[in-house]
Amino acid sequence: MSFNLCGDDACQPTPPTPLPNPYWVAFSPSAAKLIDLELGSDEFPKDPEWLDLLAGNQLHVGEHLFSNPISTAYSGHQFGSWAGQLGDGRAILLGDINHLELQLKGAGRTHYSRMGDGRAVLRSSIREFLCSEAMHALHIPTSRALSVVGSKQAVRREAMETAAVCSRIAPSFIRVGHFEHFASLQNIVRLKELAELLITQFYPGCHEQKDPYLYLFKEISTRNAKLVANWQSVGFCHGVLNSDNISVLGLTIDYGPFGFLDHFEIDHICNHSDHGGRYAYHRQPQIMHWNMACLASAMLPLVELGHSSEESQILLRSALEEFPVIYAAEWQRAFRSKLGLQSEEDGDIELIERLLQAMHDSRVDFTNFFRGLSNLKKDSSPIEIVQRNEFIDRENIDLWFADYIQRLQRESLSDGAKKDTMNLTNPKYILRNHLAQVAIEKAQQDDFSEVQRLQQILMNPFDEQEAFDHYSKPPPVDMQRIVVSCSS
Ligand code: AMP
Ligand code: MG
């Protein structure tokens, strides 16, 4: 969809800045299907002009002409404080294909670049590319990544690096920050336009409601509550949950210093710049709720179009109170399914929480523990379970396994069917930081084979892929603490 909000300072025509001598670093055939892009036998675009388009060097390819590239303004809260106007500092919306937006990240300065150079480095572009596609394969809503195009152009960060452009696709890149932008300017006309545009394109059910804008808020909040529950269930930490990085379609967007948990540490902080741990793993649900409160206050003037100010506040406040309830239900659904429980019993939550506490106390590998759990049988005896060895307090985990086995005995699925279902919900492969790091270091030496291998493995995270078994292992000791920060 077109943002179609040009005409004031909220959106500016922004031609990409050419990238010298571009070359392919990575390409996603799966994302290409979304836009019916024809591929050659090498699984890269058949038409070589796609490379120039996705580098930002031309604005047409085949039948497509992107005559109106733009960047948009948004405002938002960063690390809990109002940051005022931000905007697409280095993202350029080329236009639509198949009702999907095609965006270039790192294609040069925009009207909203503030102090930045408008570029992205190879390292962060590879991370965004791999993680977007991995999240999609984990069935978690996300913007998609189509390509990474590299260049020898130098870019200064803490050290000198080289530039790259990541192209990404989503039905819309509209964020909470877009609402906050118009709300902060008290521009109710534009705020309403934005809400109407979202309703027409993505939330048509709102039109049938008495309070379409209140209903829109509830829909956005519900999607984000479910999204964050699903992140928790795969151990994903976003790293920068500022309100300008929160999609109003409930998609994971703006991959920066994210990280998947290796060992389970409930208060794990993946972003090195997040000194206070605001965006730690266990805080993500509460922070997403906080971001929905920012959205609620930005949407207040819209609800006030049909109610008194006092009534509107009460309505939005009670809508906001639904967030933890929706989150908890989705979290419980996700963790029940990780444990292979199809029925619901009152004691399940306690069972899950006891397990997570024990995993935290012993820093057990999150992904591998749940994956391995599918091998348990209804007649397993706790002391034969190899995974007990990963826990320091054996007595405690034996009790847990005994209770879990008893619980499994009340399930109707056979051991084999249970294993198959659990393996469809507990991935074997996730984008561990050390795997990304190895691929990045090779790419920095112009060898992109490891990026492509990782991409291939992560596209099928629930499959055994025995030949790649070592990609499922926890990081070696010297790669456990890779530092990832906002500077990208
Ligand atoms: P982020 O923390 O990546 O979500 O970015 C926050 C804001 O800074 C957004 O407005 C970005 O577009 C902008 N930004 C980040 N890096 C750059 C850069 N290298 N050049 C221009 N703007 C940037
Ligand atoms: Mg951002």
Side-chain angles (χ1 to χ4, degrees):
M1 58 145 255
S2 293
F3 195 62
N4 201 21
L5 289 174
C6 286
D8 59 21
D9 198 43
C11 165
Q12 294 285 329
T14 312
T17 306
L19 185 72
N21 305 316
Y23 43 80
W24 293 119
V25 171
F27 186 82
S28 167
S30 155
K33 269 199 198 131
L34 298 170
I35 56 168
D36 299 328
L37 201 165
E38 199 186 338
L39 305 184
S41 53
D42 59 355
E43 299 272 273
F44 279 79
K46 206 167 187 179
D47 181 346
E49 289 201 310
W50 275 97
L51 177 62
D52 292 310
L53 178 90
L54 298 175
N57 292 353
Q58 66 181 45
L59 288 173
H60 58 88
V61 65
E63 62 189 295
H64 306 290
L65 171 64
F66 301 100
S67 50
N68 188 26
I70 57 165
S71 54
T72 68
Y74 46 79
S75 300
H77 288 82
Q78 299 196 308
F79 288 88
S81 308
W82 176 245
Q85 189 193 300
L86 304 159
D88 297 323
R90 52 175 172 169
I92 295 174
L93 188 58
L94 287 181
D96 291 8
I97 306 185
N98 283 359
H99 305 291
L100 293 166
E101 292 183 354
L102 177 59
Q103 200 176 66
L104 301 183
K105 180 168 176 181
R109 287 178 61 88
T110 77
H111 189 72
Y112 310 102
S113 286
R114 297 182 295 162
M115 309 299 282
D117 56 13
R119 287 295 182 197
V121 294
L122 181 63
R123 147 180 71 86
S124 67
S125 305
I126 289 173
R127 282 171 51 85
E128 170 144 14
F129 175 87
L130 288 175
C131 201
S132 309
E133 294 307 278
M135 285 297 252
H136 169 69
L138 290 169
H139 312 304
I140 297 182
T142 177
S143 59
R144 300 292 302 275
L146 181 62
S147 61
V148 176
V149 171
S151 165
K152 292 289 167 209
Q153 189 177 68
V155 177
R156 180 180 293 280
R157 293 293 180 266
E158 276 105 9
M160 289 309 284
E161 300 191 46
T162 58
V165 175
C166 178
S167 67
R168 47 190 199 180
I169 296 175
S172 168
F173 285 94
I174 297 179
R175 300 135 197 276
V176 168
H178 283 111
F179 277 89
E180 290 182 285
H181 183 66
F182 292 126
S184 70
L185 298 173
Q186 297 178 343
N187 193 337
I188 315 301
V189 175
R190 299 300 249 161
L191 202 56
K192 195 169 166 213
E193 265 177 34
L194 184 57
E196 286 295 336
L197 186 132
L198 273 185
I199 292 175
T200 309
Q201 306 261 354
F202 305 108
Y203 296 99
C206 296
H207 274 316
E208 285 140 36
Q209 301 292 321
K210 190 168 113 300
D211 273 322
Y213 302 127
L214 180 67
Y215 196 75
L216 176 63
F217 170 76
K218 287 187 191 180
E219 292 277 279
I220 297 172
S221 181
T222 299
R223 285 201 197 181
N224 280 306
K226 289 185 178 173
L227 176 69
V228 73
N230 283 291
W231 288 347
Q232 302 304 94
S233 78
V234 294
F236 175 75
C237 304
H238 181 284
V240 201
L241 287 178
N242 292 336
S243 63
D244 57 302
N245 289 340
I246 309 294
S247 154
V248 293
L249 298 185
L251 306 173
T252 315
I253 54 167
D254 281 18
Y255 292 89
F258 65 82
F260 281 87
L261 297 178
D262 290 307
H263 59 250
F264 187 65
E265 188 176 41
I266 191 114
D267 47 357
H268 175 70
I269 304 166
C270 65
N271 176 357
H272 188 68
S273 320
D274 181 10
H275 305 295
R278 179 177 168 84
Y279 299 136
Y281 172 80
H282 67 312
R283 292 217 175 108
Q284 295 192 116
Q286 169 195 338
I287 290 292
M288 186 61 95
H289 190 200
W290 190 90
N291 282 312
M292 292 302 104
C294 294
L295 178 65
S297 61
M299 291 181 75
L300 178 66
L302 296 177
V303 179
E304 283 174 347
L305 295 173
H307 298 274
S308 72
S309 183
E310 202 184 359
E311 259 173 16
S312 303
Q313 290 195 28
I314 293 169
L315 286 168
L316 276 166
R317 199 165 294 136
S318 82
L320 204 50
E321 278 165 16
E322 290 170 24
F323 183 99
V325 181
I326 295 162
Y327 167 77
E330 184 67 9
W331 185 89
Q332 288 164 21
R333 187 206 56 73
F335 276 86
R336 268 200 182 95
S337 113
K338 287 180 85 64
L339 289 183
L341 305 178
Q342 297 204 310
S343 62
E344 292 183 16
E345 287 188 11
D346 286 346
D348 293 348
I349 312 310
E350 198 209 329
L351 194 69
I352 299 166
E353 282 173 351
R354 273 170 60 204
L355 171 64
L356 292 178
Q357 183 65 55
M359 288 174 73
H360 171 83
D361 291 342
S362 294
R363 302 295 194 266
V364 172
D365 189 88
F366 184 76
T367 304
N368 289 345
F369 179 83
F370 282 105
R371 182 74 181 186
L373 207 55
S374 66
N375 294 318
L376 237 82
K377 299 198 166 58
K378 288 182 183 176
D379 62 359
S380 295
S381 134
I383 49 162
E384 291 164 0
I385 299 167
V386 284
Q387 284 170 301
R388 74 189 285 273
N389 300 328
E390 293 171 38
F391 292 82
I392 297 161
D393 187 345
R394 300 277 158 81
E395 206 179 316
N396 176 53
I397 200 64
D398 287 350
L399 279 174
W400 185 84
F401 275 126
D403 289 344
Y404 175 52
I405 289 164
Q406 270 191 18
R407 175 67 185 85
L408 283 179
Q409 288 164 356
R410 297 195 291 278
E411 287 284 312
S412 55
L413 282 186
S414 67
D415 284 332
K418 175 183 72 66
K419 178 173 171 140
D420 292 346
T421 339
M422 284 175 79
N423 284 350
L424 290 175
T425 197
N426 293 315
K428 176 168 175 180
Y429 300 99
I430 48 156
L431 181 58
R432 295 177 187 266
N433 260 343
H434 73 287
L435 299 177
Q437 192 56 30
V438 170
I440 288 166
E441 283 169 20
K442 285 198 174 160
Q444 287 168 335
Q445 307 299 318
D446 296 326
D447 173 0
F448 309 126
S449 59
E450 190 61 18
V451 174
Q452 289 157 17
R453 187 169 307 113
L454 259 186
Q455 174 191 354
Q456 185 198 335
I457 296 168
L458 294 169
M459 283 313 276
N460 300 294
F462 301 105
D463 292 355
E464 278 301 319
Q465 307 186 68
E466 279 91 0
F468 297 119
D469 207 52
H470 49 296
Y471 284 83
S472 68
K473 301 288 177 241
V477 179
D478 59 331
M479 293 194 81
Q480 279 176 2
R481 297 259 165 222
I482 292 167
V483 171
V484 190
S485 76
C486 284
S487 166
S488 61

